[in-house]
Amino acid sequence: HAESGRPFMLLLNIPAESRFSSYIVDLYDPAGKIQWSLPVSADAASDTVPLRIPALRDAGTYSLAVSGVGQSKNRIEIGKQPFQVRHQ
């Protein structure tokens, strides 16, 4: 759970695969719209990736989606994790 209106950290483990040259993490709001995207190198994905999530004003279920980027620059979603933001 995250507190509404305050930035916070999330630690993300990306299941690194050799077929991907890099990764993209997308943050979706409760309406399903992308709020931001963050590129992650293949080297960074080999360790836990700390993400600083900006203040989220609206309460609800957000989600982080991780996509792998192949050699042809195509994106393949490899995971999506929801999390709750509540007003305190």
Side-chain angles (χ1 to χ4, degrees), residues 38-69:
L38 177 72
V40 177
S41 71
D43 286 342
S46 65
D47 291 321
T48 299
V49 178
L51 298 176
R52 185 177 190 278
I53 307 296
L56 302 172
R57 287 178 294 198
D58 299 325
T61 302
Y62 289 75
S63 60
L64 284 174
V66 178
S67 298
V69 180

